């Protein structure tokens, strides 16, 4: 009888755990960007456009990326310095021109990143089905080396004509004095309005969050491991 009782309790635990996991998965619908099996920067660029957004507030604008999609929210990642202008008049505009209000969810205390949410009720099912969350390339990031190809997207300057800017990895983990942190360091062109956009590889994996650039085509971006750690803090 004791064995049977233990088995029954074990079964109940397994079923309960499965239900809980199923609930969590249903909460994050995870309609994601299609990543490629072989490197193709042009195709990867076309695929990740479904995750790109423009943020505007108080006359300032920047970029962002759909990081997660849940039943209730589109969760956008961008820079903390972009969100400092995102108040009650803040607007998130998606690649198809659809705009909606957003609410700040989280601002990192240590890094130049933050998350905001857009209510899925603002969209029709057809509109939502067109948007996609990025796929984080944790394994890809760990394998990055100097001169590997990367690209970013300028969607903020002209929504109807997004522009791809290609570049190379200089050092995936370099201490940058200006930031006082270990950052992703790359060689690529970045302009005003691109702050908050994603850094992608040739497969379409999301690698880092652009934070700034120089006239010498040096870019600094928040590394993926930091982003994933910070996102977990929202869910606690």
């Amino acid at each position: 009888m004791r064995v049977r009782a233990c088995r029954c309790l074990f079964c109940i635990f397994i079923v309960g755990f499965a239900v809980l996991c199923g609930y969590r998965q249903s909460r994050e619908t995870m309609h994601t960007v299609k990543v490629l099996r072989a490197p193709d920067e042009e195709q990867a660029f076309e695929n990740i456009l479904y995750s790109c957004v423009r943020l505007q507030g108080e006359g300032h604008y920047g970029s962002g990326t759909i990081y997660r999609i849940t039943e209730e929210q589109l969760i956008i990642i961008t820079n903390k310095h972009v969100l400092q202008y995102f108040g009650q008049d803040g607007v998130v505009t998606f690649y198809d021109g659809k705009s909606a209000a957003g609410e700040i969810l989280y601002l990192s205390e240590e890094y130049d990143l933050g998350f905001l949410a857009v209510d899925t009720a603002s969209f029709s099912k057809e509109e939502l089905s067109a948007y996609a969350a990025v796929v984080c390339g944790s394994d890809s990031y760990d394998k990055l080396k100097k001169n590997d190809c990367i690209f970013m997207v300028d969607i903020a300057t002209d929504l109807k004509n997004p522009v791809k800017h290609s570049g190379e990895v200089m050092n995936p983990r370099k201490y940058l004095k200006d930031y006082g942190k270990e950052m992703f360091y790359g060689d690529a062109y970045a302009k005003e309005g691109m702050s908050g956009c994603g850094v992608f590889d040739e497969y379409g994996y999301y690698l880092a969050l652009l934070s700034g650039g120089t006239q010498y085509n040096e870019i600094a971006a928040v590394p993926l491991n930091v982003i994933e750690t910070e996102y977990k803090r929202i869910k606690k």
Side-chain angles (χ1 to χ4, degrees), residues 53-227:
V53 303
R54 168 181 166 143
L55 307 177
Q56 187 168 358
E58 298 181 10
H60 298 268
Y61 65 92
S63 301
T65 305
I66 302 174
Y67 189 74
R68 292 289 186 272
I69 300 176
T70 73
E71 293 177 346
E72 298 85 13
Q73 298 173 322
L74 295 167
I75 299 175
I76 312 296
I77 183 171
T78 187
N79 293 134
K80 181 165 63 175
H81 79 259
V82 171
L83 292 178
Q84 69 179 320
Y85 301 107
F86 198 87
Q88 293 183 347
D89 67 336
V91 175
V92 180
T93 305
F94 295 80
Y95 84 99
D96 58 357
K98 173 74 175 180
S99 295
E103 177 184 3
I104 296 176
L105 287 179
Y106 175 81
L107 296 175
S108 172
E109 294 182 1
E110 298 183 56
Y111 288 87
D112 186 21
L113 73 87
F115 294 92
L116 60 88
V118 177
D119 195 336
T120 55
S122 303
F123 307 90
S124 67
K125 289 184 178 180
E126 289 74 22
E127 288 171 332
L128 283 174
S129 67
Y131 304 144
V134 291
V135 177
C136 294
S138 300
D139 293 339
S140 298
Y141 196 103
D142 291 338
K143 297 174 184 177
L144 286 176
K145 57 186 182 299
K146 183 177 172 61
N147 298 327
D148 279 352
C149 295
I150 55 169
F151 72 91
M152 302 176 296
V153 177
D154 175 14
I155 197 172
T157 302
D158 186 350
L159 279 166
K160 295 182 179 179
N161 296 288
V163 177
K164 174 173 65 68
H165 294 292
S166 302
E168 296 181 348
V169 176
M170 297 297 288
N171 189 334
R173 294 181 178 85
K174 179 180 176 66
Y175 179 83
L176 298 180
K177 186 176 180 180
D178 289 347
Y179 293 87
K181 302 288 182 186
E182 191 176 78
M183 303 282 282
F184 174 98
Y185 178 57
D187 178 5
Y189 174 77
K191 61 181 293 188
E192 184 178 359
M194 287 178 63
S195 291
C197 77
V199 179
F200 298 87
D201 68 10
E202 295 177 292
Y203 297 85
Y205 283 108
Y206 185 85
L207 301 175
L209 168 70
L210 179 67
S211 189
T214 73
Q215 61 180 328
Y216 304 107
N217 287 355
E218 299 169 295
I219 62 165
V222 181
L224 183 58
N225 66 305
V226 171
I227 294 169

